[in-house]
């Protein structure tokens, strides 16, 4: 628990006569963080927006964020969906939509010169296998997965650079701050059957949740799952994950209830510089 929150509780114990048992219950609830899984693919610009927002909120909301790199092509095929880029009117709208969203979310996103080549002819299979290998090597919850994912997004959706060649992935890895001596090992691991099977497994997990595109965000709250598609459902997500057990209101004063009930959507940059882009 945050030290400032603990000091707040102690002060209330002294000033309001709250019992130690009530404080312990409060701490238990605050410690039971919600798990949020983010299924994403770097070929998806909307996934980048969702990724950055959730990385910023991991220290604002009472959540544990689990990054789940998966293969969007497999999800589209498995669900029978079609990419919006293949539908002319949707493709035209995407350009305007992403331009507005990039400014709103403060993410340096811009369309590549040849989106068809980037998204469909080249694709992201090699990149997603590589990110999966980074997670396997360092642990899925380590910052390395976040940093490498962000740098690959920067290459394809900011600087219009390749993400399919080993040299491109090596450069992204070095810019993300990983040791140069481990780059070759990561490339070899990414080509292994173990990593190929793991990426397939995570992609199938997304399909089992009901995915038909990315980003897919799955919130685990009190033994239940809440699924959200896209990068424009954060206010609703905050509402769904924010309710704590109603028993709190039976023994905690009103101002504490206000403090702990419900996560709040504070806009795309709740605390600036929480996640540097």
């Amino acid at each position: 628990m945050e030290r400032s929150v603990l000091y707040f509780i102690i002060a209330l114990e002294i000033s309001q006569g709250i019992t130690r048992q009530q404080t312990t219950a409060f701490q238990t609830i605050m410690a039971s963080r919600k798990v949020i899984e983010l299924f994403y693919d770097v070929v998806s610009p909307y996934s980048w927006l969702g990724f950055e927002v959730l990385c910023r909120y991991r220290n604002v909301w009472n959540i544990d964020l689990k990054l789940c790199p998966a293969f969007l092509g497999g999800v589209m095929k498995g669900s029978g969906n079609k990419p919006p880029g293949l539908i002319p009117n949707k493709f035209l709208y995407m350009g305007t939509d992403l331009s507005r969203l990039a400014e709103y979310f403060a993410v340096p996103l811009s369309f590549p010169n040849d989106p068809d080549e980037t998204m469909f002819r080249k694709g992201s299979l090699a990149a997603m296998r590589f990110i999966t290998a980074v997670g396997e090597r360092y642990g899925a919850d380590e910052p390395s997965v976040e940093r490498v994912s962000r740098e690959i997004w920067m290459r394809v959706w900011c600087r219009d650079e390749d993400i399919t060649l080993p040299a491109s992935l090596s450069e992204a890895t070095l810019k993300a701050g990983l040791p140069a001596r481990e780059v070759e090992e990561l490339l070899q691991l990414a080509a292994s059957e173990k990593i190929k099977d793991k990426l397939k497994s995570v992609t199938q997990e997304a399909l089992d949740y009901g995915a038909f595109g990315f980003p897919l965000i799955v919130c685990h709250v009190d033994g239940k799952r809440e699924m959200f598609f896209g990068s424009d459902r954060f206010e609703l997500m905050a509402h769904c994950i924010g309710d704590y057990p109603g028993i709190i209101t039976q023994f905690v004063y009103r101002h504490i209830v206000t403090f702990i009930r419900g996560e709040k959507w504070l806009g795309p940059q709740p605390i600036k510089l929480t996640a540097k882009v």
Side-chain angles (χ1 to χ4, degrees):
M1 181 182 297
E2 294 284 345
R3 182 173 297 179
S4 59
V5 175
L6 183 58
Y7 289 163
F8 176 74
I9 297 170
I10 293 172
L12 285 169
E13 281 185 7
I14 296 171
S15 64
Q16 302 294 338
I18 296 173
T19 68
R20 173 59 59 179
Q21 291 80 5
Q22 292 167 351
T23 298
T24 300
F26 177 86
Q27 290 173 311
T28 300
I29 292 167
M30 289 298 292
S32 60
R33 296 166 68 83
K34 312 296 191 300
V35 175
I36 293 184
E37 296 177 288
L38 171 64
F39 293 84
Y40 66 94
D41 186 324
V42 294
V43 79
S44 162
Y46 291 98
S47 289
W48 189 13
L49 300 174
F51 168 93
E52 294 296 353
V53 170
L54 287 176
C55 286
R56 294 167 187 171
Y57 270 83
R58 64 167 21 134
N59 294 320
V60 177
W61 289 346
N62 191 40
I63 64 171
D64 283 326
L65 178 60
K66 180 181 179 183
L67 298 178
C68 305
F71 183 47
L72 181 57
V75 165
M76 301 301 283
K77 181 178 180 180
S79 65
N81 197 4
K82 293 182 178 180
L86 296 180
I87 301 172
N89 283 354
K90 283 188 177 181
F91 181 74
L92 290 173
Y93 175 76
M94 277 181 62
T96 302
D97 189 45
L98 286 171
S99 178
R100 292 183 299 211
L101 288 171
E103 180 180 359
Y104 175 69
F105 285 109
V107 175
L109 187 156
S110 60
F111 250 64
N113 289 329
D114 190 342
D116 184 69
E117 179 183 33
T118 297
M119 291 189 286
F120 304 118
R121 293 200 294 273
K122 286 187 173 181
S124 60
L125 183 57
M128 297 318 296
R129 285 175 176 169
F130 187 80
I131 294 172
T132 300
V134 172
E136 181 71 16
R137 172 67 177 81
Y138 294 99
D141 297 328
E142 288 298 311
S144 300
V145 175
E146 177 184 338
R147 294 199 305 266
V148 171
S149 297
R150 180 178 291 114
E151 185 53 44
I152 293 178
W153 260 309
M154 290 286 290
R155 289 186 66 87
V156 64
W157 285 106
C158 178
R159 301 191 295 267
D160 195 13
E161 296 173 345
D162 176 75
I163 60 168
T164 63
L165 300 175
S168 303
L169 297 173
S170 298
E171 184 178 343
T173 305
L174 294 174
K175 284 189 176 182
L178 274 65
R181 64 181 181 277
E182 297 184 11
V183 171
E184 185 59 36
E185 294 179 15
L186 288 170
L187 289 169
Q188 292 177 5
L189 181 60
S192 68
E193 290 301 317
K194 177 180 180 180
I195 292 302
K196 292 178 182 179
D197 289 342
K198 183 171 183 179
L199 182 61
K200 290 177 183 178
S201 176
V202 176
T203 301
Q204 184 60 50
E205 185 179 353
L207 283 167
D208 291 343
Y209 277 138
F212 53 87
F214 285 162
L216 174 73
I217 303 168
V218 182
C219 303
H220 299 266
V221 182
D222 299 329
K224 299 179 182 179
R225 292 195 299 263
E226 295 280 359
M227 186 185 81
F228 301 89
F229 168 72
S231 56
D232 57 353
R233 295 291 186 270
F234 295 111
E235 189 168 0
L236 179 59
M237 189 187 308
H239 170 76
C240 289
I241 70 174
D243 278 343
Y244 294 92
I247 191 172
I248 298 173
T249 60
Q250 296 179 13
F251 58 74
V252 183
Y253 285 86
R254 182 180 302 276
H255 49 291
I256 305 180
V257 174
T258 301
F259 183 74
I260 66 173
R261 276 196 72 89
E263 304 292 3
K264 301 297 182 184
W265 169 244
L266 304 173
Q269 299 184 77
I271 300 177
K272 291 186 178 180
L273 303 182
T274 293
K276 295 182 180 179
V277 180

